[in-house]
């Protein structure tokens, strides 16, 4: 199983992120992920670095590990433009992008504030799921190289896996049906949600075993063994500043 780190960027500086990524690669971790938020205040901080820009810089700073957003709110970027951005980062990173996508927080979450501040409406659950489905369709259309009779759109080689995040069965079904992967939190609902995604993927005519599964979890031996039994390929654990110091501490614990 691959072990990834999710750096919490709220309040963090670029030097801290860069040093953390270098330490993560040096300690043998497999990937670094970042949250996608625009206003630090939604987590009680004065600032937050923009996800995509920071991921691109990390991909240049470290040559081996995967990079991914956990996860891009599809409301934050035009899907057609995002397709070209993703194709570009896939080339810059030499194929190391894991393209996490999600529906964003609902009106009842603190994250609605950053959307409202920028003049964006926060829709209900059904509409936000539909936006994810439409965004994935646009990504794949643009990645074909020709859109609306216009050629020359960048085609990623290979296309990055589209990993759809969710907390319930409707997003799990969507991920299995149209995505390449699924991101979920660990917990008692995990086995059932994985079954939903795999069933949906099989019904769509794709191999359920090919679904990229990433799960946010602690890194205890028992937790990792449970994820392996479920066929999860990547375990992701949250790390807060100072990233480099904590990455080394986690690596030492895993190696003990």
């Amino acid at each position: 199983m691959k072990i990834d780190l999710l750096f919490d960027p709220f309040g963090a500086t670029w030097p801290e992120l860069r040093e953390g990524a270098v330490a993560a690669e040096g300690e043998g971790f497999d990937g670094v992920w970042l949250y996608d938020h625009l206003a630090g205040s939604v987590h009680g901080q004065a600032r937050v670095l923009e996800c995509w820009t920071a991921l691109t810089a990390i991909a240049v700073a470290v040559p081996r590990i995967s990079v991914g957003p956990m996860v891009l709110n599809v409301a934050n970027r035009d899907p057609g433009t995002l397709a070209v951005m993703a194709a570009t980062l896939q080339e810059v990173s030499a194929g190391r992008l894991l393209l996490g996508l999600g529906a964003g927080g609902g009106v009842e979450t603190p994250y609605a504030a950053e959307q409202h501040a920028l003049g964006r409406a926060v829709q209900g659950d059904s509409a936000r799921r539909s936006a994810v489905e439409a965004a994935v369709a646009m990504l794949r259309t643009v990645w074909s190289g020709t859109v609306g009779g216009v050629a020359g759109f960048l085609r990623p080689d290979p296309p990055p896996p589209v990993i759809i995040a969710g907390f319930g069965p409707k997003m799990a079904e969507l991920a299995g049906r149209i995505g390449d992967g699924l991101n979920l939190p660990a917990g008692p609902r995990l086995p059932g949600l994985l079954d939903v995604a795999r069933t949906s993927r099989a019904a769509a005519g794709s191999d359920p075993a090919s679904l990229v599964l990433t799960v946010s979890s602690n890194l205890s031996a028992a937790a990792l063994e449970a994820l392996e039994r479920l066929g999860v390929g990547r375990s992701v654990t949250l790390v807060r500043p100072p990233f480099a110091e904590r990455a080394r501490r986690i690596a030492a614990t895993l190696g003990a």
Side-chain angles (χ1 to χ4, degrees):
M1 177 182 294
K2 296 183 184 298
I3 306 295
D4 298 344
L5 302 180
L6 168 59
F7 288 167
D8 180 353
F10 285 97
T13 66
W14 163 239
E16 288 175 317
L17 283 178
R18 181 186 61 231
E19 290 164 13
V22 170
E25 182 164 271
E27 294 293 340
F29 290 103
D30 298 292
V32 166
W33 302 75
L34 297 179
Y35 289 139
D36 180 30
H37 286 285
L38 305 173
S41 58
V42 300
H43 266 210
Q45 297 290 337
R47 51 179 271 138
V48 63
L49 293 170
E50 192 275 324
C51 175
W52 198 267
T53 309
L55 281 176
T56 303
I58 287 173
V60 174
V62 293
R64 180 187 62 81
I65 59 178
S66 297
V67 293
M70 190 173 285
V71 291
L72 296 183
N73 180 349
V74 295
N76 284 345
R77 299 162 190 84
D78 173 79
T81 304
L82 175 60
V84 181
M85 293 166 60
T88 301
L89 183 49
Q90 182 74 330
E91 182 168 322
V92 168
S93 67
R96 291 180 285 137
L97 175 61
L98 301 168
L99 184 55
L101 291 182
V107 293
E108 74 286 355
T109 69
Y111 312 123
E114 63 186 3
Q115 300 298 322
H116 290 150
L118 298 176
R120 298 172 182 154
V122 179
Q123 298 177 304
D125 292 350
S126 179
R128 287 184 292 111
R129 282 194 301 272
S130 295
V132 173
E133 186 161 4
V136 173
M138 177 58 76
L139 289 173
R140 303 210 191 281
T141 298
V142 174
W143 289 345
S144 74
T146 301
V147 184
V150 178
F153 287 92
L154 188 61
R155 303 177 64 179
D157 183 21
V162 177
I163 301 173
I164 296 175
F167 295 94
K170 291 180 181 178
M171 287 301 288
E173 185 279 332
L174 183 68
R177 177 163 50 87
I178 68 169
D180 303 304
L182 173 63
N183 175 258
L184 292 167
R189 300 182 70 195
L190 179 61
L193 293 175
L194 293 178
D195 286 344
V196 169
R198 287 166 170 152
T199 299
S200 175
R201 188 163 180 80
S206 297
D207 181 5
S210 67
L211 200 63
V212 179
L213 300 174
T214 69
V215 172
S216 299
S217 171
N218 68 64
L219 298 179
S220 69
L224 293 177
E225 288 171 5
L227 294 182
E228 286 184 340
R229 286 195 298 270
L230 291 170
V232 173
R234 306 186 83 100
S235 177
V236 187
T237 195
L238 178 65
V239 179
R240 294 188 171 90
F243 303 118
E245 176 185 328
R246 291 184 174 172
R248 295 186 186 102
R249 191 182 307 163
I250 292 169
T253 300
L254 289 173

